[in-house]
Amino acid sequence: MAPPRHILELSRKEQREFIDSFDLIISDCDGVVWLLVGWIPGTGEAINALKKAGKGIKFVSNNSFRTDEQYMEKFEHIGAKGINIDDDVVHPVKTMVRYLNKHKPGERVYSLMSLEANETLRKRGIDYESLQIKDHLTAASLVDNLSIDKPVGAVLFDIHLDLSYVELAKAIRHLQNNDDCQLIAGGSDVIMPLAENLNVAGFFDFLEHVKRYTQREATFLGKPSPILGDMFREMFDIQKPERCIFVGDMLVQDIQFGKSCGFQSLLVLSGCLTKEDMWKAPKESQPDYYADSLADFVQLLENIK
């Protein structure tokens, strides 16, 4: 396996061959197109240039704490044109809705997700229960909040910045009281790149807490789940995976995921990893190519005009 090469350090001939080797780009969002808080210069221009060069481009995120409208506001801010929120952007709550409609149609669920994700559930016709506790809790009020009026077919877990103890406890109660209740999770991110030079702990350990007390394994529907890879092939009609390139800023969630799907892989260094992290990673986790950021495509496409 050849070591990763920077796309701007390829010869002009190799740059042309690289661009000609794929038809579809699937790109992560946070750390690649923008930061959770902040922006990455030139990414909108790169997206437009790739589209102009005839490339299809889709976006995937492990974060469902934005509404579709908020996603579109971010694309508009960076100047990316021609983005269709329904067809071009995938995140865990969308894949959860797809999964529930296929495997648990009409069943009520308990949501351990953000208000924005719950709004997406509501808009897409999913009957859900959630807790938003604002009052001070006592032992007595905790008992009241943990009572179960109706069983649920699944507990949904994803990034939830307002997550509380009582919400976790209620999720555990649902899973312990119903053997048919399925634990469904979005991403498995251990680290969240929040802003430039600021990476914080992800939500994976909270999910581990639920799994530990319920002895349940989670069905993952975000990166790097093989189920998501199968969904991509169906949603994007991918006939030749080798003609697709996955762009991301993390090794496990992005690069290993893309390679497991049979895609080419490109690591950008605009998120939480450094070039040193890439070189220290096992060979199977290293990308085919790397770049400083998505904006490097602007220069590359200019080079091969």
Side-chain angles (χ1 to χ4, degrees), residues 5-301:
R5 298 183 67 189
H6 195 294
I7 61 173
L8 294 184
E9 294 175 1
L10 302 172
S11 69
R12 292 292 189 269
K13 180 175 180 291
E14 289 171 327
Q15 288 180 352
R16 166 57 65 188
E17 290 171 346
F18 167 63
I19 284 292
D20 289 345
S21 72
F22 59 86
D23 308 304
L24 177 67
I25 302 152
I26 302 179
S27 174
D28 182 32
C29 290
D30 298 305
V32 179
V33 181
W34 49 61
L35 299 172
L36 278 173
V37 180
W39 307 99
I40 301 170
T43 56
E45 185 182 355
I47 291 166
N48 296 337
L50 286 163
K51 282 173 164 280
K52 188 175 180 180
K55 306 301 178 183
I57 183 162
K58 306 292 184 180
F59 302 93
V60 58
S61 174
N62 269 2
N63 298 333
S64 295
F65 56 79
R66 298 185 190 101
T67 62
D68 285 348
E69 292 76 15
Q70 289 168 333
Y71 267 101
M72 287 307 298
E73 286 172 4
K74 293 183 86 69
F75 281 114
E76 288 167 7
H77 180 91
I78 65 172
K81 299 175 182 176
I83 308 298
N84 184 305
I85 192 65
D86 292 321
D87 298 334
D88 298 338
V89 183
V90 178
H91 51 74
V93 71
K94 285 187 173 181
T95 55
M96 287 176 182
V97 169
R98 190 180 182 93
Y99 184 91
L100 290 169
N101 285 336
K102 182 176 182 180
H103 297 283
K104 290 182 174 287
E107 292 192 35
R108 182 178 174 85
V109 300
Y110 176 77
S111 173
L112 266 181
M113 303 197 295
S114 66
L115 292 174
E116 292 84 357
N118 290 343
E119 177 64 10
T120 301
L121 292 178
R122 185 192 66 77
K123 286 182 176 178
R124 298 188 180 230
I126 302 298
D127 182 21
Y128 74 92
E129 170 194 347
S130 67
L131 289 177
Q132 280 94 42
I133 307 298
K134 302 299 182 186
D135 299 329
H136 172 67
L137 281 169
T138 64
S141 61
L142 179 60
V143 170
D144 291 338
N145 279 293
L146 295 183
S147 65
I148 295 176
D149 298 323
K150 296 180 182 178
V152 296
V155 168
L156 309 183
F157 180 94
D158 197 41
I159 293 175
H160 179 13
L161 301 181
D162 297 317
L163 184 65
S164 67
Y165 169 79
V166 66
E167 289 175 285
L168 283 170
K170 185 69 174 280
I172 290 168
R173 283 270 292 158
H174 272 301
L175 289 160
Q176 288 175 334
N177 282 272
N178 181 2
D179 290 339
D180 294 325
C181 182
Q182 186 176 358
L183 177 58
I184 299 175
S188 57
D189 301 54
V190 177
I191 296 173
M192 227 170 31
L194 193 61
E196 188 173 1
N197 300 318
L198 178 58
N199 299 322
V200 298
F203 280 71
F204 184 69
D205 286 338
F206 294 115
L207 178 62
E208 289 293 296
H209 175 80
V210 175
K211 290 166 59 179
R212 183 166 63 251
Y213 282 96
T214 61
Q215 299 299 303
R216 299 288 186 89
E217 289 303 317
T219 299
F220 286 99
L221 299 180
K223 301 173 300 174
S225 167
I227 298 175
L228 181 61
D230 292 339
M231 285 185 178
F232 280 167
R233 282 186 279 274
E234 182 180 331
M235 295 164 70
F236 304 147
D237 192 26
I238 298 173
Q239 303 295 327
K240 296 180 178 180
E242 70 276 8
R243 298 286 305 170
C244 175
I245 188 166
F246 196 95
V247 182
D249 68 317
M250 302 183 79
L251 293 173
V252 175
Q253 283 83 356
D254 297 326
I255 301 307
Q256 281 188 211
F257 169 66
K259 294 172 87 168
S260 72
C261 294
F263 305 151
Q264 298 183 61
S265 58
L266 170 70
L267 178 74
V268 292
L269 304 177
S270 51
C272 60
L273 295 182
T274 65
K275 192 188 300 186
E276 289 70 31
D277 294 326
M278 179 186 72
W279 292 123
K280 286 189 291 188
K283 292 290 185 185
E284 62 272 15
S285 299
Q286 292 182 2
D288 299 309
Y289 303 94
Y290 71 100
D292 292 339
S293 84
L294 195 66
D296 285 351
F297 274 106
V298 176
Q299 182 63 57
L300 188 147
L301 289 167

